[in-house]
Amino acid sequence: MTSDKHTGTDSDAGTLYLIPAPLGKDPVNRVLPEHVISVVHSLDAFFVERIRQANSYLRWLKHPVPDYKCRFYELNKHTPGEDLLEMLSVLKNGVNAGIISEAGCPAVADPGSELVRLAHESGIRVVPLTGPSSVLLALMASGLNGQSFTFHGYLPKPGRERTEKIRHLQTESARKNITQIFMETPFRNNQLLEELRTELDPDTLLSAGVNLTLPEEQIITRRISDWKSETIDIDNKPAIFLILAEKKGTSRPAFSGAQKQKKPAHKRKRVKK
């Protein structure tokens, strides 16, 4: 093994690319740069959650190598340690390979972080590629605090634990002025939204980003008191939720676009006395 002193990487090993995927089905590529596509086209070894879905993604990108000639290795939350070591050996043997996310960015609420960590420990170069991240896209468009936020991934399954988690997130959001970001399995989105409407305080801000980057995209930010009258069906649609609560006894200044703004000082007319 030879080592690059400047980067701490094994110069004989392959590179591990982290390959994002669209956040939903769309026949048109609206999210992946040409550079990402060219990198994917150069690879024939992939670490994927589901081989069938990975094949569909590669066909969508018009990958030049037939799927039966590509090497696929299943990488999910049930992957045993010995299989991870096998994947690591592929990279150590000088093969460039990529982790393909099913949606969004690999290793973010998605399998892959263990293999990425092993790659770093083995001096293997890791390259994240540009693509859609529902976490950042939803935060950008929410109007909530983008300076301080926490992503919690998936909430517990419906029940007492989830209800307590929601209340705790609201309490911590108010105490620390942080945006709380979380997800749910799509077929339970409507149920989660209804629980948020019920459990959160009326002044708490809730934002829902639905079908992000797709033609049917919806991004709605309201106080819970206003959400109660909002009719929206997000069942079985990719969605991400954000909340921002206020400390008791405080309120945000209201602003009306119709309010008359003062002219800048240098543009005010001087009045002769």
Side-chain angles (χ1 to χ4, degrees):
M1 167 176 156
T2 59
S3 176
D4 185 325
K5 294 181 180 179
H6 297 289
T7 63
T9 58
D10 177 1
S11 59
D12 294 329
T15 296
L16 177 60
Y17 291 96
L18 307 182
I19 303 168
L23 299 174
K25 292 183 178 180
D26 191 344
V28 179
N29 174 26
R30 305 172 192 270
V31 293
L32 298 178
E34 286 299 321
H35 170 68
V36 172
I37 298 173
S38 66
V39 169
V40 175
H41 283 187
S42 72
L43 306 175
D44 60 12
F46 301 98
F47 310 122
V48 304
E49 192 168 357
R50 289 186 294 176
I51 293 175
R52 183 176 178 180
Q53 185 160 337
N55 274 330
S56 176
Y57 176 52
L58 293 178
R59 287 195 295 271
W60 182 74
L61 289 181
K62 297 180 173 57
H63 194 283
V65 180
D67 53 25
Y68 62 86
K69 288 188 177 181
C70 288
R71 286 175 286 174
F72 293 102
Y73 303 81
E74 286 195 347
L75 177 61
N76 53 52
K77 60 183 180 181
H78 303 296
T79 300
E82 54 267 28
D83 288 2
L84 287 173
L85 294 178
E86 181 186 353
M87 298 177 204
L88 190 66
S89 69
V90 172
L91 295 160
K92 286 184 174 180
N93 288 332
V95 176
N96 294 333
I99 298 178
I100 297 180
S101 175
E102 290 200 338
C105 298
V108 180
D110 201 61
S113 58
E114 287 187 73
L115 182 58
V116 172
R117 184 169 64 249
L118 287 172
H120 283 298
E121 291 174 355
S122 301
I124 293 170
R125 183 177 176 228
V126 176
V127 177
L129 298 176
T130 302
S133 165
S134 61
V135 177
L136 291 180
L137 291 171
L139 180 62
M140 288 163 57
S142 69
L144 306 189
N145 188 359
Q147 298 292 331
S148 181
F149 58 92
T150 303
F151 175 56
H152 298 273
Y154 290 90
L155 293 186
K157 291 181 179 180
R160 180 177 177 180
E161 185 183 359
R162 187 172 80 172
T163 301
E164 291 178 350
K165 181 70 173 180
I166 289 170
R167 292 172 180 169
H168 174 72
L169 292 179
Q170 177 177 244
T171 300
E172 288 299 289
S173 176
R175 189 171 71 87
K176 299 179 181 178
N177 187 33
I178 59 175
T179 298
Q180 308 279 29
I181 310 172
F182 46 89
M183 303 164 65
E184 177 55 287
T185 305
F187 71 85
R188 288 199 290 258
N189 278 340
N190 280 347
Q191 185 181 0
L192 174 59
L193 180 58
E194 187 56 37
E195 186 169 4
L196 294 172
R197 287 167 161 166
T198 302
E199 297 298 333
L200 296 176
D201 293 340
D203 285 339
T204 293
L205 288 163
L206 166 64
S207 182
V210 186
N211 283 325
L212 293 172
T213 72
L214 300 176
E216 312 84 29
E217 177 180 85
Q218 287 180 288
I219 302 165
I220 303 173
T221 299
R222 303 275 191 277
R223 294 189 187 276
I224 289 298
S225 57
D226 296 321
W227 264 107
K228 293 181 185 297
S229 60
E230 187 76 41
T231 56
I232 177 175
D233 180 11
I234 56 177
D235 195 42
N236 282 317
K237 298 174 183 177
I240 190 162
F241 303 88
L242 308 87
I243 65 171
L244 181 63
E246 297 176 347
K247 290 183 180 180
K248 298 296 183 182
T250 64
S251 60
R252 298 178 189 277
F255 175 78
S256 169
Q259 285 179 329
K260 207 169 184 180
Q261 296 186 15
K262 292 182 179 180
K263 294 181 179 180
H266 67 279
K267 290 187 178 181
R268 293 179 192 164
K269 294 182 179 180
R270 291 186 177 180
V271 179
K272 293 182 179 180
K273 293 183 179 179

